[in-house]
Amino acid sequence: MPRDLFKKLLPDRHALAQRWYLHPFRALLHQPAYWTVHRRSVVRAVAIGLFICFIPLPVHFLLAPLLALLWRANLPLALVTVLLMNPLTFAPAYLGAYWLGSQLTGEPLAALHFEPNWQWVDTQLAVVWKPFLLGCLVCGTAAALLGYAMVSLWWRIAVTYRYQRRGVKLRRRNGAIEENSALER
């Protein structure tokens, strides 16, 4: 079941509450709503994390917990989902977002030669910011909706499968009990 998988992957809230850097947030960390592993909490956390992945500013680890607290989502899962955008994936994701934004706005693609300095931000980013931000917004929204739907569907299929297996086990057990009681007569 998905709940068991998520419980194995996510950290223990009591162990995290003992960390020195989380002492100011101890009151929030004791709220069980932010740590429970149920369908609504998990799908909200995945959607939050996937949307925040496409924000092109380095505020992912600030926004994810704030939105998770606001929408009562699973806090550690929202933070873990943000890690999907990492140094190996951010370049293709942001280039894809820029391409999508340029297609939506009708602006031609500009040749980008990235240099990590303020002059590049001032000259190059000023040219591409509209399609880039629009593409990030559309990709983030699409990823959040798709993640929400996929995790929700996966959860429902897993629960349905588990209940069907439970019914089969109960019928087998009841059949074995009836056979034993018939033999005793």
Side-chain angles (χ1 to χ4, degrees):
M1 181 166 175
R3 177 177 295 172
D4 297 333
L5 174 68
F6 286 119
K7 282 186 177 182
K8 287 179 190 175
L9 295 176
L10 297 176
D12 180 40
R13 72 179 173 133
H14 300 293
L16 281 179
Q18 300 303 319
R19 306 285 171 117
W20 65 269
Y21 52 86
L22 294 175
H23 281 292
F25 308 105
R26 190 177 295 168
L28 289 174
L29 293 177
H30 285 295
Q31 295 290 328
Y34 305 124
W35 298 92
T36 58
V37 181
H38 55 74
R39 186 183 57 83
R40 285 177 305 221
S41 176
V42 167
V43 296
R44 285 179 192 158
V46 169
I48 288 168
L50 289 174
F51 180 77
I52 290 174
C53 280
F54 282 93
I55 294 176
L57 299 173
V59 294
H60 299 142
F61 285 107
L62 296 174
L63 282 178
L66 290 175
L67 290 177
L69 293 174
L70 181 66
W71 287 317
R72 300 181 67 82
N74 188 295
L75 186 61
L77 188 59
L79 288 169
V80 168
T81 308
V82 166
L83 293 175
L84 291 175
M85 188 69 73
N86 58 51
L88 297 175
T89 60
F90 83 90
Y94 287 152
L95 285 174
Y98 171 60
W99 176 83
L100 179 64
S102 68
Q103 296 298 314
L104 292 173
T105 59
E107 293 184 21
L109 289 172
L112 298 175
H113 303 288
F114 179 71
E115 296 175 21
N117 58 28
W118 184 253
Q119 181 182 4
W120 183 88
V121 171
D122 192 34
T123 58
Q124 294 291 318
L125 194 59
V127 175
V128 299
W129 73 271
K130 285 180 186 177
F132 178 60
L133 289 180
L134 178 64
C136 285
L137 178 67
V138 170
C139 287
T141 303
L145 291 173
L146 185 64
Y148 187 95
M150 294 298 290
V151 172
S152 183
L153 180 66
W154 174 49
W155 196 287
R156 288 176 189 264
I157 288 172
V159 168
T160 303
Y161 176 73
R162 183 174 179 211
Y163 281 133
Q164 287 174 348
R165 277 188 44 219
R166 187 172 129 191
V168 169
K169 285 181 183 178
L170 286 174
R171 283 192 293 275
R172 284 183 190 161
R173 189 175 68 186
N174 288 341
I177 291 172
E178 289 176 4
E179 283 181 25
N180 287 339
S181 64
L183 291 175
E184 290 176 1
R185 293 182 197 171

